[in-house]
Amino acid sequence: MTKKSMFFCIMCIAVIVLMSGDAMAAGVFASLKQKTISFASQLRVFAYAISCFGIVMFTFLAISGKINFKHLGYIFISLFMLSATGAIIDYFTGSHAKLQTEFKDTYMNTVSHSSLGS
C-alpha cells in the first residue's frame, strides 16, 4: 500500500467514526439481560428436577453395586457446586439486591430470612 492510500483509509475510518451517532446499544443489552435472566431461572428449575432424578438413580446403582460409592460422592459434590454457583457469583459481585429480586433463593436471601426468624 502506498502512503496516499493508507492516509485515505485512515481518513475514511476517522470520518465514519466521527459521523456515526449513538448505536442505542443500551436498550439491546437491557432486553438481552432480561431474556437471559428469564432463561436462566427457568433452566435452573429444570436442572434441579433432572438432578433429583439423577441422584435417585445413581443412589440405586451404588446400592446395587453397579457403580462405586466414590462416584456417587463425586456426583453429589458436582451437583452441590452447580447449585451454589449463583450464590457464589452473587457474593463476589456484590449485587445482592438485584439478584434477590430476580432469583428468590439466593444465599443472601436465605441468610436474611433465617436471621429474621431467629
Side-chain angles (χ1 to χ4, degrees), residues 1-115:
M1 265 180 134
T2 63
K3 288 183 180 182
K4 287 183 180 182
S5 61
M6 187 87 110
F7 178 74
F8 180 71
C9 288
I10 291 173
M11 288 304 291
C12 285
I13 291 172
V15 168
I16 290 171
V17 168
L18 292 174
M19 295 294 287
S20 64
D22 293 336
M24 301 300 288
V28 172
F29 287 118
S31 173
L32 185 62
K33 175 186 164 191
Q34 284 303 106
K35 289 180 181 181
T36 304
I37 289 169
S38 173
F39 175 76
S41 64
Q42 293 169 1
L43 181 67
R44 187 167 58 176
V45 171
F46 179 70
Y48 285 158
I50 295 298
S51 65
C52 289
F53 287 120
I55 287 173
V56 170
M57 180 188 71
F58 282 113
T59 302
F60 281 122
L61 287 174
I63 291 171
S64 65
K66 300 292 182 189
I67 64 168
N68 195 349
F69 275 98
K70 179 175 64 172
H71 297 135
L72 181 64
Y74 292 151
I75 292 167
F76 282 150
I77 291 170
S78 299
L79 289 174
F80 173 75
M81 289 171 47
L82 179 67
S83 67
T85 302
I88 291 169
I89 292 171
D90 182 26
Y91 176 76
F92 282 113
T93 58
S95 61
H96 307 304
K98 293 178 193 170
L99 284 180
Q100 280 183 2
T101 59
E102 294 161 358
F103 296 110
K104 304 291 188 252
D105 58 348
T106 60
Y107 172 74
M108 294 305 295
N109 198 5
T110 305
V111 169
S112 65
H113 286 307
S114 65
S115 63

